Amino acid sequence: MLTHIANVLSSTFRTSDYISRIGGDEFCVIMTKCDEDDSKKAELVTHKMDLIRKKLASESEVIDNGGNEHHA
């Protein structure tokens, strides 16, 4: 499941951005090269978060974990 979330994050952000798992199910994203003013940065982050929510809500993946199925 963590791999699936990491893949969603990777497909949402640019290759110049940094994505890291910081522990458990917590991830951190550092977006580089953001030259917009503060209000546009807030809009950009909100847009990215909406994309992630939509991708996670619309994708259904069954993960086999040693005989136990998990839906992500």
Side-chain angles (χ1 to χ4, degrees):
M1 182 178 234
L2 292 174
T3 303
H4 176 67
I5 294 170
N7 289 337
V8 169
L9 291 172
S10 294
S11 69
T12 303
F13 292 93
R14 304 166 297 179
T15 56
S16 62
D17 298 331
Y18 296 94
I19 301 168
S20 177
R21 183 172 153 233
I22 57 175
D25 59 355
E26 299 170 331
F27 288 84
C28 176
V29 176
I30 299 173
M31 296 175 64
T32 61
K33 301 178 185 173
C34 292
D35 296 329
E36 296 88 2
D37 61 38
D38 287 343
S39 64
K40 291 192 184 224
K41 287 178 189 175
E43 288 176 21
L44 177 62
V45 170
T46 300
H47 175 70
K48 294 289 187 179
M49 293 305 299
D50 288 342
L51 285 174
I52 293 165
R53 284 186 196 102
K54 287 177 185 175
K55 286 180 182 183
L56 291 175
S58 68
E59 296 176 359
S60 178
E61 179 179 300
V62 177
I63 300 169
D64 184 4
N65 184 15
N68 300 317
E69 286 188 356
H70 299 278
H71 295 269

